[in-house]
Amino acid sequence: MALAVAALFSPLQSQPTFGFLLDIDGVLVRGHRVIPAALKAFHRLVNAHGKLRVPVVFVTNAGNILQHDKAQELSALLGFKVEPDQVILSHSPMKLFSQYHGKRMIVSGQGPLVENAQVISQLVVHEVRKVGNRWFKETSGAAVANRWSVDHLWSMKSKRLGFKNVVTVDELRMAFPVLDMVDLQRRPKTTPLPRNDFPAIEGVLLLGEPVRWETSLQLIMDVLLSNGNPGTGLATAPYPHLPVLASNMDLLWMAEAKMPRFGHGTFLLCLETIYRKVTGKELRYKGLMGKPSILTYQYAEELIRRQAERRGWAAPIQKLYAVGDNPMSDVYGANLFNQYLQMAKHEGAEELGTSGLLKQRPSATESCASILVCTGVYSPKALGSTEPAQGREEPPFHGHRDFSFSPGLIEASHIVNDVDEAVQLVFHKEGWAL
């Protein structure tokens, strides 16, 4: 017994140099049901005092819940205390985009929409990373922090300085009832008087899939085509259009059903297709957040570092292990971030401070390995098989339009059955006791 206790608190294991980025849906839970392997995994991850042995951050593309509530939900499911700052929702990195926090934004999604939009605290960008001779660009079309990749210093302020002036789709529909015409039961019985007292909308905030897709698609299009004045309309649609910020690009996600369900990425695909068909132009985003965006992984990296500091772990966290069930978001994102880290390490990195002066501030993180589990979206015919289905040369690309397809980025570093096997794999690689 004494030997076991000594091993638990040995210097080797009290100073972890690695951390976990864990997806939630399809890895830890399926709908409201916890996956049994998740309980086994946290039995290994949590010590006898109910504390994590290594830093862990939960990275989900869900966004229809408050961060605090998600932490409480995970605590109840997993049997140990999960803090809110261990949870990253798909929209969490919107804290970066403070230039839009004062604008009047229409917000789409479900759940506590207004609360989520307003509690996004101000995030001050201190540094921007340059790799080699160029600024690292994560996507071909989505501008993120002025198309520059933001480095790992984030200055959080506790004030509620998120989006201060938001309008929901339902509020817009109530202001202009004649805009929502698909559902015959909701059509106005009489023609209301036109309104000229409704302030113009200055941007679009897409936090997650809405309930009534036809209403949200129609009214968001109305806002974009009218330059924020849906009660009037314009002869020619303005282009560039109003700024659009979106989070959660997952085309599909896994719940209790045997087959994947539509995600917010499917809604975005609908909106993009309608906009292109109507205008002949591409819908452009000022920011795309959630996995596989590098911004999300940089945010997770910082939370891992802060978590280690709070626990008094002085050794730098050098390796991250990202565990997920979706090749197009979890694996692609982890591999994209790892690619970025390798470029920074081999080509050298420079940081540009807000004052315009170049600084040197290398990240301690050296790698991010992707681990794919088979309890969610990804479910191969045989474990380890990477062969395409018979009669089909390549599987369809389920990633977002602005993330170009690269076969190497959807190949996981490791494929295992479940999250417990993932934890065992990592502990074995790092020389930790199970």
Side-chain angles (χ1 to χ4, degrees):
M1 179 67 179
L3 288 175
V5 174
L8 182 63
F9 294 100
S10 66
L12 176 65
Q13 295 201 7
S14 63
Q15 295 289 311
T17 58
F18 64 97
F20 285 95
L21 309 180
L22 299 181
D23 184 28
I24 298 176
D25 293 302
V27 174
L28 305 179
V29 300
R30 289 277 295 266
H32 298 290
R33 178 178 60 84
V34 65
I35 296 172
L39 299 178
K40 295 178 182 178
F42 277 92
H43 182 73
R44 304 180 195 279
L45 288 168
V46 176
N47 65 24
H49 299 279
K51 299 289 187 180
L52 286 167
R53 299 167 63 191
V54 298
V56 174
V57 166
F58 302 90
V59 188
T60 177
N61 268 352
N64 57 353
I65 190 171
L66 292 173
Q67 192 174 20
H68 179 270
D69 292 344
K70 193 65 177 180
Q72 286 189 328
E73 180 183 292
L74 287 171
S75 298
L77 288 170
L78 300 175
F80 84 101
K81 177 67 173 175
V82 176
E83 299 294 341
D85 62 1
Q86 288 179 275
V87 177
I88 298 178
L89 303 173
S90 61
H91 56 254
S92 296
M94 283 189 182
K95 298 165 186 176
L96 272 176
F97 295 84
S98 57
Q99 68 269 39
Y100 300 110
H101 289 175
K103 292 186 179 295
R104 184 171 170 83
M105 308 284 285
I106 183 170
V107 58
S108 169
Q110 57 182 293
L113 276 180
V114 175
E115 294 89 340
N116 263 330
Q118 291 179 342
V119 300
I120 294 175
S121 303
Q122 185 183 37
L123 189 69
V124 179
V125 180
H126 285 281
E127 296 172 348
V128 178
R129 167 158 290 190
K130 189 178 183 183
V131 179
N133 295 318
R134 65 188 180 87
W135 296 102
F136 191 89
K137 191 188 299 182
E138 63 171 90
T139 74
S140 59
V144 178
N146 203 19
R147 288 189 181 269
W148 293 339
S149 178
V150 180
D151 195 24
H152 69 278
L153 254 197
W154 320 79
S155 176
M156 297 288 242
K157 294 188 177 180
S158 60
K159 300 176 183 177
R160 291 164 63 97
L161 294 176
F163 295 90
K164 296 181 283 290
N165 191 359
V166 294
V167 179
T168 67
V169 171
D170 276 344
E171 288 171 339
L172 183 63
R173 184 182 68 84
M174 295 298 292
F176 301 98
V178 296
L179 299 182
D180 186 23
M181 301 296 285
V182 173
D183 188 342
L184 297 177
Q185 300 300 318
R186 299 214 302 179
R187 286 186 183 181
K189 300 299 184 285
T190 59
T191 302
L193 294 174
R195 291 188 58 169
N196 56 10
D197 61 341
F198 195 84
I201 293 171
E202 300 172 284
V204 179
L205 193 59
L206 307 174
L207 296 187
E209 58 268 28
V211 175
R212 286 179 171 266
W213 285 31
E214 79 284 356
T215 298
S216 293
L217 289 169
Q218 178 69 74
L219 270 63
I220 291 167
M221 282 294 297
D222 289 337
V223 167
L224 293 172
L225 297 178
S226 67
N227 205 33
N229 296 281
T232 58
L234 297 174
T236 304
Y239 200 83
H241 53 69
L242 294 174
V244 180
L245 300 175
S247 64
N248 185 357
M249 296 164 273
D250 283 352
L251 187 76
L252 305 168
W253 69 288
M254 204 68 190
E256 290 98 339
K258 300 296 183 182
M259 297 172 62
R261 304 293 87 196
F262 290 156
H264 192 220
T266 306
F267 178 82
L268 297 180
L269 177 62
C270 293
L271 180 62
E272 293 156 8
T273 304
I274 294 169
Y275 187 87
R276 184 174 65 251
K277 191 70 173 178
V278 171
T279 68
K281 299 180 175 66
E282 294 291 342
L283 181 73
R284 297 298 181 190
Y285 298 92
K286 292 296 184 182
L288 277 171
M289 281 137 279
K291 297 173 290 187
S293 167
I294 285 180
L295 207 56
T296 294
Y297 288 87
Q298 290 177 309
Y299 188 72
E301 176 193 20
E302 175 61 13
L303 294 189
I304 286 281
R305 185 189 65 80
R306 288 174 178 240
Q307 191 180 142
E309 282 185 354
R310 285 197 305 271
R311 293 292 302 275
W313 294 326
I317 303 301
Q318 298 173 325
K319 300 177 185 177
L320 296 178
Y321 293 93
V323 184
D325 70 306
N326 192 330
M328 299 300 175
S329 57
D330 300 308
V331 173
Y332 189 112
N335 289 344
L336 189 66
F337 184 50
N338 185 66
Q339 185 182 86
Y340 166 76
L341 292 172
Q342 302 316 305
M343 289 177 65
K345 181 170 62 176
H346 294 299
E347 298 184 23
E350 296 173 332
E351 277 76 30
L352 181 64
T354 53
S355 63
L357 299 176
L358 291 173
K359 305 175 184 178
Q360 185 69 26
R361 194 181 188 94
S363 169
T365 306
E366 297 177 353
S367 65
C368 181
S370 55
I371 304 178
L372 184 62
V373 299
C374 305
T375 49
V377 170
Y378 179 77
S379 182
K381 291 179 296 183
L383 183 63
S385 174
T386 57
E387 294 297 319
Q390 187 175 4
R392 192 173 65 197
E393 293 183 1
E394 290 287 346
F397 178 56
H398 288 171
H400 187 267
R401 174 200 71 187
D402 287 356
F403 289 75
S404 58
F405 176 66
S406 176
L409 290 178
I410 61 171
E411 292 180 6
S413 306
H414 307 279
I415 302 178
V416 296
N417 277 308
D418 52 49
V419 67
D420 184 44
E421 285 192 12
V423 171
Q424 292 184 61
L425 170 72
V426 173
F427 277 13
H428 177 73
K429 286 175 64 69
E430 298 296 329
W432 276 49
L434 297 175

